[in-house]
Structure formats: C-alpha cells, structure tokens
Amino acid sequence: MESETNMEKIKTYLYKDIGIILCILFYICFMAIAYAVKPYLDGADWYFFSSLQRLLFGLVELAIFIKIFHKEKWTDVINFRHFKDGIRVGSGVILYTILLTIVTAIGIGSLVNTTFAILFSCLICQQITTGFWEELTFRAFVLEGYFNKTKKSWWCRLAYASMSFIFFGLVHAIECDNFGDAIDVFIMTGTLGFVFAAIYLYSHNILVPMLLHFIYDIPANFQQFIDVWNEESQLFHVLNNYVLTAVFLLLPIAALAFVIKKPVYEYENTVQISGTDGPTSVFIVGGMHKPSLSQRVQRIPFRMRKAWYEKHITADGHTMEEVRRYIKDVYGFQEVDQQSEEYQEQYSQMRASFIMQYAPELLGEYADAPQMNGTDEAAIKRFMEQIELRQQVAERIPKEDFDIDLHIYKKDEKDTHIDFALESKYGYIGGGASGSKADIRKYEKMYRDVYRYYGVTKSDIEHRTKRYEDLIRTLARR
C-alpha cells in the first residue's frame, strides 16, 4: 500500500515537471536533425533551412504544450497578458541590447564579404525563429511545472530559474571548440536564460522573452560578419570592456529581485470584494491579536485620511436609483438580467446574507452565528459546516417574509471583469474586479467615486449614521 502511494507521488511529480523531460527530448531531436543536414548545406541555404526547422519544431511543441498543460488555444500561451510587466523585468536586456548595438557599430573596422541573402536569413529569419523555438523549449516547457504546484514560493521560483540557467548555458556551451570559450558562453547564455526565466515566472508571459531574445540575437550574431574590429577607438574600448560588462553584471541581480518578488500573474484571478458590512463573512483562525508596531504605523495614513474626510465631508446625497443611472451613464455598465442564472445565484446568496445580518430571528434555532471552538482541522471543518447549514436555512426563508431589491451591473474589457451590486432597501453598494494590479486599482478608484456620488445627507452627518460611517471608511481606504 505504501509503495503504491509512493508511486502515485512519483507520477504526480513527473506529470508536473514533464516539461523538463520534453525539453531535453526536443533538443536531442532538434540537434540530431541539424547535425545530419548541415554537411549538405551552407550559407543562406543553411540559414533558411535552420529557420524552417526552428519554426516547425516551435509549432509542434506549441501544439504539445497546449495539450499537455490543458490550454484551450494557442493564444492562451502566446498573448499580451501582463506584457508591460514582462517588459519591466526585461528592461535590463533592452538596455544591454542597445549598448551592444552601439558598441558593435562603433567597433566595425571592416566587414566580411557576404550577401544580402545571408544577412537576411541569418539575422532576421533564423533569429526570430530562434526566439520562438528556444523560449518555448527552455522557458515554457521547463518552467510551466512551477505554475502547477500547489505550494509556490520564491525559492521554488529560484530553483526553476536556475534550471533554465543551467540548461540554456549548457546547450550553447557544448558547441564551443575549447573549454575557455565554453565557460564564457555558458555564463553569458545562462545569465540571459535566467533573465528570460525571471520574466516568465513573474509575468507568465512567454511573448516578451521571445521578442527580447530576437532583438538581442541580431547584434550578437551580426558580430560574426565583422572582419576587422576598430580596436584603436578609445570609446569602443571603454564601452566594450567596462560599460557592457557592468550592465551585464546587473542583469542577474535585477532578475533575481523579480524572482523573489510576488509574481504579477497571481493577481490575475484575484477578485477584490468591496462593500461595507457586505454579504461576505471572514474569520481568522487563532483569534485576534494585538496589532504589531509596524501594523499600527501602516494604519496611520488611513486614520489621517479618515479624520480629513470627517472634517470636510458635505451633504450631497443621491438616491440608489440615481446611483444606478450614474454607473451606467458615466462608466458604461450593463445591468445583469434578473432572470439569468448569474443574477439568481448572487441574489439567493445575498438575500440569505442580509437575512442573517438584519433579520436573524427568522432563522429560529440558527439565529445566533456559529462560533469556532478550537483551531484544529476538525474544529474548522465543523465551523464551516455550521456556516453552510445556516446559509441554506436562510435561503429557504420565503421571499414574502424577507426580500431585497438587488441590481447587478457588470463590465468586461479584455481580461478585466468588473461588477457592482446595488441593494436599495438597505443601502448596500458592493462589487468586485478581476484582472491585473492596474485593473484592481482602477476598480478601487471607481468604487470610491461611486460611493462618493451616493454620498450622505445632512441628517446622516448630524447623527453619524451607518451610511455616513460607511462613506468615510470607503473614501479613506487605499
């Protein structure tokens, strides 16, 4: 029995990291074909064949990647999602490529006698397909296993990025004629592989490494066509020996910072729920503890903003009906059909939550909220079962005894989803958003603006009503 369990664990680990095994197999097959054909081709013919080989291997690997890692279509693999974040991680490669291009241009003494066909096939065709194939092979396949792990951490990302460093450095170093050159190539290409891995692990975007790989390879491979270097130039000497080296040394340091940093893609499916005293209940295992000094310091800006709004808030309230018109006219939201399954599900859950909050007496023996006795797994499980049972009892309360006036609005833009829930009887405004960090910030700003428009009346300010307190807390949050 124990051996079967161990076999299942081994199978699970192998499945998660099957991409590493496939990476090695793809490379062996690729090099076998390349070595078999190269003796028969030369010049532009070889470069065009090599480009076609990279393209075909890349397309086949892309299809396999989609199948193995359960992607629906190729755009789930190659897309512009978190593109800007990936560019930010790879900004060092962009700087290094620009400097390398300048150094190469300054260092040209004379070029070898060649043709346009060779230059085009080598610098454009081969390098763009190299970026496509190598990034799929040595980044997507090698690193995708990380995203299938249940426990993700910075040291786990570092382990995967290090594997990419080693693999990428080795496959380039073995082509060298002597050990000294092999070490230089291993460090150079391995470092670039580490940076490209950092981009993918941080943004889960493979398009950025593909593009940066392509643009870097152009000046790097152009140097083979330089016959004589302009070594007498002092500027070339300084840039080539000092500036380029300094920038190159900074590349892995900057990449390491992003490997350690929380990846931006982890915010992709995060839904931020807003709404004071809303329908979502949260409990913390272990109870409440006295805030630490750092926590108290972090709360100071919120308290300052809260005090400012309490002093400067003015009476300019609007009805919930006016708020509904506002989010449609100003922000372009569409109301969800109240007969739709989406609406009915949210309505049922929210009505039950409002019953528990405003009319718990209707729940009979379940009127009191359940308490968690202990923090062990069994206690937490019983607690969650009691919450679920109470929710079910609340949902069975007839609408004649308790009902709400709920309106749901949504707005979808590319990979961003935003929704608002407005309840008129109890003055509830809530909502949520899913997308990048920028999308979440955009929603939070929008949410504060909607709440500000809802506003308060003079009576709310004088009596410091719940509507007043909700508005102050909402505006003060950041």
Side-chain angles (χ1 to χ4, degrees):
M1 185 69 178
E2 185 177 348
S3 61
E4 290 181 3
T5 303
N6 291 334
M7 283 300 297
E8 286 299 321
K9 289 182 178 179
I10 293 173
K11 288 180 180 179
T12 301
Y13 283 120
L14 285 176
Y15 174 74
K16 288 181 178 179
D17 291 318
I18 189 68
I20 297 174
I21 299 173
L22 290 173
C23 163
I24 297 171
L25 293 176
F26 290 146
Y27 176 73
I28 293 173
C29 292
F30 180 90
M31 294 307 296
I33 295 174
Y35 280 124
V37 175
K38 192 168 185 180
Y40 303 99
L41 296 174
D42 195 12
D45 292 337
W46 162 249
Y47 289 127
F48 279 124
F49 172 82
S50 179
S51 302
L52 180 61
Q53 183 188 8
R54 284 163 165 76
L55 177 61
L56 292 177
F57 262 75
L59 291 174
V60 171
E61 290 179 28
L62 179 59
I64 294 173
F65 188 92
I66 293 171
K67 183 70 174 178
I68 289 179
F69 294 108
H70 307 296
K71 309 295 183 181
E72 293 184 3
K73 50 188 182 301
W74 71 269
T75 52
D76 291 335
V77 183
I78 304 174
N79 52 59
F80 287 94
R81 191 174 298 121
H82 302 309
F83 185 85
K84 292 182 180 178
D85 297 296
I87 289 293
R88 186 154 54 95
V89 184
S91 56
V93 176
I94 297 174
L95 175 61
Y96 186 81
T97 302
I98 293 172
L99 287 173
L100 181 62
T101 304
I102 294 172
V103 170
T104 302
I106 295 174
I108 296 175
S110 62
L111 297 173
V112 298
N113 187 22
T114 188
T115 64
F116 173 78
I118 290 177
L119 287 173
F120 179 77
S121 59
C122 175
L123 300 180
I124 303 301
C125 298
Q126 190 183 58
Q127 303 321 316
I128 196 170
T129 52
T130 295
F132 173 60
W133 172 66
E134 287 191 352
E135 291 310 309
L136 275 176
T137 306
F138 297 104
R139 244 64 67 188
F141 274 97
V142 171
L143 304 176
E144 190 67 19
Y146 168 79
F147 301 100
N148 291 324
K149 292 191 177 297
T150 53
K151 293 183 179 180
K152 300 179 178 69
S153 60
W154 70 267
W155 60 263
C156 186
R157 292 192 293 274
L158 180 59
Y160 274 90
S162 299
M163 276 193 290
S164 182
F165 175 98
I166 295 170
F167 287 177
F168 202 57
L170 282 176
V171 298
H172 287 84
I174 59 177
E175 298 180 16
C176 296
D177 296 328
N178 60 73
F179 184 74
D181 289 344
I183 292 297
D184 291 340
V185 170
F186 175 79
I187 294 174
M188 182 72 185
T189 56
T191 299
L192 289 172
F194 186 85
V195 176
F196 293 147
I199 295 172
Y200 190 61
L201 289 169
Y202 182 75
S203 65
H204 206 180
N205 184 300
I206 198 62
L207 180 60
V208 174
M210 286 179 175
L211 293 176
L212 295 187
H213 194 149
F214 166 55
I215 64 170
Y216 164 79
D217 274 354
I218 294 176
N221 283 274
F222 179 79
Q223 292 183 358
Q224 65 182 297
F225 297 100
I226 298 178
D227 186 29
V228 178
W229 287 92
N230 184 18
E231 296 182 356
E232 296 180 358
S233 170
Q234 187 65 26
L235 179 60
F236 170 74
H237 177 75
V238 172
L239 290 176
N240 188 51
N241 294 316
Y242 299 105
V243 178
L244 268 182
T245 302
V247 173
F248 179 76
L249 292 175
L250 292 174
L251 291 181
I253 298 174
L256 178 61
F258 282 101
V259 169
I260 295 174
K261 188 177 181 181
K262 184 179 180 180
V264 68
Y265 71 85
E266 290 188 7
Y267 296 92
E268 187 177 33
N269 296 320
T270 300
V271 178
Q272 299 288 333
I273 304 296
S274 304
T276 314
D277 291 336
T280 305
S281 299
V282 179
F283 72 94
I284 302 174
V285 176
M288 299 300 292
H289 299 278
K290 184 179 179 180
S292 65
L293 176 61
S294 62
Q295 289 173 327
R296 291 198 294 270
V297 171
Q298 291 172 5
R299 292 175 184 176
I300 291 175
F302 170 79
R303 291 171 181 160
M304 292 177 64
R305 289 192 297 267
K306 187 171 181 289
W308 189 91
Y309 281 114
E310 287 175 343
K311 184 177 180 180
H312 293 88
I313 199 74
T314 58
D316 187 24
H318 295 85
T319 66
M320 195 60 74
E321 184 178 350
E322 290 174 319
V323 174
R324 294 202 297 268
R325 287 201 299 269
Y326 183 77
I327 66 173
K328 287 194 294 184
D329 296 342
V330 175
Y331 291 108
F333 278 79
Q334 299 294 322
E335 184 168 5
V336 175
D337 183 5
Q338 296 190 358
Q339 302 303 317
S340 67
E341 183 178 348
E342 177 184 2
Y343 175 88
Q344 290 298 325
E345 182 179 355
Q346 292 191 51
Y347 165 82
S348 178
Q349 294 175 354
M350 189 167 289
R351 189 179 77 94
S353 298
F354 274 95
I355 289 174
M356 291 184 281
Q357 182 176 353
Y358 295 106
E361 66 277 2
L362 295 176
L363 301 175
E365 61 179 300
Y366 299 99
D368 296 328
Q371 302 297 319
M372 186 167 63
N373 300 316
T375 58
D376 58 283
E377 185 177 347
I380 295 174
K381 183 178 180 180
R382 286 195 301 271
F383 176 69
M384 297 304 296
E385 289 173 349
Q386 291 170 356
I387 288 179
E388 185 177 356
L389 178 59
R390 192 167 183 252
Q391 176 84 13
Q392 293 172 355
V393 172
E395 290 178 358
R396 288 196 293 267
I397 300 295
K399 294 181 182 180
E400 293 76 15
D401 295 338
F402 189 98
D403 202 4
I404 59 175
D405 183 17
L406 177 66
H407 296 263
I408 300 174
Y409 298 85
K410 69 177 182 179
K411 185 177 183 181
D412 294 303
E413 295 179 347
K414 295 183 179 179
D415 298 320
T416 307
H417 172 80
I418 304 175
D419 64 74
F420 272 92
L422 308 179
E423 202 290 319
S424 301
K425 292 184 179 180
Y426 296 92
Y428 170 80
I429 299 178
S434 63
S436 65
K437 287 191 290 186
D439 296 328
I440 301 300
R441 288 195 295 269
K442 178 182 177 182
Y443 159 73
E444 289 171 345
K445 182 179 179 180
M446 188 186 304
Y447 178 78
R448 287 193 296 272
D449 177 62
V450 171
Y451 225 113
R452 184 184 288 108
Y453 180 80
Y454 181 43
V456 289
T457 64
K458 184 177 180 181
S459 176
D460 290 321
I461 298 174
E462 291 175 353
H463 297 92
R464 300 180 72 89
T465 62
K466 181 178 179 299
R467 177 172 174 174
Y468 168 84
E469 295 292 346
D470 289 350
L471 176 62
I472 295 298
R473 282 196 296 269
T474 299
L475 296 180
R477 278 204 305 258
R478 290 293 187 275

